[in-house]
Amino acid sequence: VARPRVLSGIQPTAGSFHLGNYLGALRQWVTLQDTHDAFYCVVDLHAITVEQDPKTLRQNTRVSAAQLLALGIDPDHATLFVQSHVPEHAQLSWVLQCLTGFGEAGRMTQFKDKSARQEAQVGVGLFTYPILQAADILLYQAHHVPVGEDQRQHLELTRDLAQRFNSRYGRTFRLPEAYIPKDTAKIYDLQDPTSKMSKSVPSGVVELLEDPKRAAKKIRSAVTDTGREITYDPAAKAGVSNLLVIYSALTGRTVDDLVAAYEGKGYGDLKKDLGEVFTEFVTPVQDRVRQYLADPAELDKVLARGAERARDVAGRTLARVYDRVGF
Ligand code: ADP
Ligand code: NA
């Protein structure tokens, strides 16, 4: 029996992924490659919806791919590729744009948030971004798409477009389902534990590629409350609870177990230990990233192989689409 297919992408924008990306998404990518026919994509086309520096983008794309490999994506198990290496993404996106209502695209709330935050001129690409995302998914006939809350609306658009195309031209696309993997954790900013850790608010972000000593220091200076007791209470003790969630996710120990183990100890102990836990986790990851980046030919080979496998599937979908629309 063929395994269900899953598609997921991540932007290369920041170079280093952060702990939220890992514990909320990438860790699940590694698990999903065992149960699914997984297609994982570094979405560099999406990265130019905001102004970018070409050299930085090229480097960040490689660093992103190296991190995915270092975190455990196995290119013999999953198809790992760079979006721009597969021209079918842009090609299908155009066809889907012509099927999308202007008002429909305008209702995407992420566009409103992102364009409001942007100082430079807002490009049309930022507006049509969710349609490119729909193309990313539909090209691969994915059964499942792991989505966080902020992406639900985009998946709905994807399904609407697939349905519209199918009813106008005949069944062409599989309707993808949202997939909420087990063990995803939402990670909060260390300096503002009520908002999610995000690359757009750099102060309380722990990056996977930063010096572990610096990361440990950030963890030691994480905002906590004025109490003393280590308990899990996200409403009253957002900071401490966030640290417990991270600790639990990185070690596999339950939060209850940690709370029991830290009875009678202080926040300082928890933070110091978590700094060590993070360092232990991230040191071999960083070593592997360095190895991948030190061998550009090998990384190129892995990505070329991924792109070839991706194009094999994407090309077949696009050929059918082109035929159906009359090209
Ligand atoms: P950012 O918020 O830093 O811009 P992205 O939006 O690029 O991160 O997210 C990439 C992936 O990481 C998505 O699947 C998203 O749901 C997940 N993710 C991002 N931040 C967090 C977080 N703080 N906690 C859990 N998951 C997160
Ligand atoms: Na985001």
Side-chain angles (χ1 to χ4, degrees):
V1 185
R3 290 181 293 177
R5 187 166 289 159
V6 68
L7 181 286
S8 199
I10 187 145
Q11 285 211 38
T13 331
S16 178
F17 298 132
H18 58 70
L19 206 43
N21 296 143
Y22 177 61
L23 296 177
L26 303 179
R27 195 166 61 133
Q28 287 70 38
W29 287 22
V30 178
T31 316
L32 281 170
Q33 70 187 349
D34 294 332
T35 52
H36 283 70
D37 179 18
F39 283 71
Y40 296 136
C41 168
V42 178
V43 293
D44 56 348
L45 295 179
H46 287 281
I48 68 164
T49 54
V50 295
E51 218 175 303
Q52 96 290 4
D53 169 60
K55 255 177 83 179
T56 310
L57 176 59
R58 189 170 294 117
Q59 175 63 9
N60 285 350
T61 298
R62 300 182 69 80
V63 171
S64 297
Q67 278 171 101
L68 294 173
L69 294 165
L71 289 169
I73 301 299
D74 176 353
D76 292 326
H77 253 79
T79 301
L80 174 67
F81 64 102
V82 175
Q83 188 186 26
S84 65
H85 297 177
V86 182
E88 286 83 356
H89 289 252
Q91 292 173 300
L92 178 60
S93 170
W94 174 251
V95 175
L96 296 178
Q97 284 184 54
C98 296
L99 272 186
T100 310
F102 191 79
E104 186 177 33
R107 282 192 294 276
M108 298 295 117
T109 54
Q110 259 201 14
F111 170 73
K112 293 177 193 161
D113 297 346
K114 285 190 177 175
S115 55
R117 268 190 274 130
Q118 198 167 318
E119 280 148 36
Q121 184 181 266
V122 174
V124 174
L126 194 62
F127 186 68
T128 57
Y129 176 116
I131 306 169
L132 178 58
Q133 228 174 35
D136 299 340
I137 297 164
L138 297 178
L139 272 178
Y140 298 95
Q141 308 287 350
H143 298 81
H144 295 145
V145 184
V147 281
E149 274 313 313
D150 53 342
Q151 291 293 327
R152 280 195 167 273
Q153 203 188 19
H154 291 177
L155 186 63
E156 274 316 303
L157 177 70
T158 302
R159 290 172 55 92
D160 288 346
L161 292 175
Q163 218 148 14
R164 196 170 305 156
F165 190 99
N166 287 349
S167 64
R168 190 170 302 179
Y169 298 110
R171 204 189 130 68
T172 307
F173 295 121
R174 170 173 288 127
L175 262 57
E177 310 265 349
Y179 187 78
I180 315 282
K182 276 181 291 198
D183 299 327
T184 48
K186 185 166 178 186
I187 306 303
Y188 293 88
D189 188 275
L190 295 185
Q191 287 303 310
D192 172 12
T194 58
S195 60
K196 75 163 206 165
M197 186 177 285
S198 168
K199 60 179 174 276
S200 31
V201 198
S203 66
V205 172
V206 177
E207 291 182 354
L208 300 188
L209 297 185
E210 70 180 301
D211 180 355
K213 286 200 194 76
R214 192 172 140 218
K217 203 169 146 194
K218 283 186 188 172
I219 292 169
R220 283 200 305 277
S221 54
V223 168
T224 39
D225 54 89
T226 53
R228 308 176 54 97
E229 236 184 297
I230 295 170
T231 55
Y232 180 74
D233 180 350
K237 286 173 170 287
V240 172
S241 301
N242 188 38
L243 297 177
L244 285 169
V245 167
I246 296 171
Y247 201 138
S248 163
L250 288 177
T251 58
R253 294 171 68 180
T254 66
V255 167
D256 286 346
D257 176 33
L258 291 169
V259 167
Y262 280 91
E263 206 189 318
K265 294 187 183 169
Y267 294 168
D269 300 308
L270 177 72
K271 289 173 174 178
K272 186 175 153 291
D273 293 350
L274 180 55
E276 283 167 20
V277 162
F278 178 74
T279 301
E280 217 164 286
F281 155 71
V282 90
T283 302
V285 174
Q286 292 188 357
D287 287 344
R288 287 195 292 271
V289 169
R290 248 177 254 119
Q291 283 163 23
Y292 283 113
L293 293 177
D295 190 353
E298 176 60 23
L299 187 57
D300 284 342
K301 214 166 76 189
V302 167
L303 294 176
R305 197 152 51 95
E308 196 183 318
R309 285 213 301 257
R311 286 203 76 179
D312 185 47
V313 177
R316 269 181 278 148
T317 302
L318 189 77
R320 220 174 313 150
V321 167
Y322 268 26
D323 181 55
R324 295 215 147 144
V325 301
F327 294 159

